[in-house]
Amino acid sequence: MLTRYMGMSPKSQSYLFTFGLVLTFLGMMLTDMWLPMVAGAIILAGLAVESWVRVAYIIPMHEEMRAMQKQIRKLQSEIRTLEYDE
């Protein structure tokens, strides 16, 4: 969705966006200026959901894919050595 700031971990970004969303909802409840805050709440909700999905699914999937690629390279090298020996 959006480019991430690389100085923060995705988990920290998730906490930050969730905290911002909670503060926005709190501000909407406690003030009369809740209507202008709706746009911020929508944006923060999108960022928070995206960061939750990234932490829960995308990052573990990338790590699993790296491990599988490593295993594939190892198996390919073993196949090459077996073919070379024949």
Side-chain angles (χ1 to χ4, degrees):
M1 187 171 173
L2 296 174
T3 304
R4 292 282 167 246
Y5 173 64
M6 298 306 291
M8 288 178 76
S9 71
K11 198 170 203 175
S12 295
Q13 290 176 2
S14 174
Y15 292 144
L16 178 69
F17 294 144
T18 304
F19 181 68
L21 184 62
V22 169
L23 285 178
T24 303
F25 285 146
L26 188 64
M28 287 168 60
M29 288 188 295
L30 296 176
T31 65
D32 291 335
M33 297 291 292
W34 69 271
L35 190 59
M37 297 175 95
V38 170
I42 292 171
I43 292 168
L44 277 171
L47 289 171
V49 168
E50 180 196 6
S51 64
W52 295 336
V53 168
R54 181 180 295 220
V55 168
Y57 298 107
I58 295 175
I59 293 173
M61 180 184 63
H62 282 296
E63 292 171 358
E64 198 171 312
M65 286 174 54
R66 281 188 206 109
M68 287 188 337
Q69 287 174 347
K70 194 176 195 180
Q71 289 175 348
I72 289 171
R73 279 196 282 302
K74 182 181 175 187
L75 290 172
Q76 285 174 340
S77 68
E78 288 178 11
I79 289 172
R80 285 187 197 109
T81 57
L82 287 175
E83 289 174 351
Y84 180 74
D85 290 340
E86 293 177 352

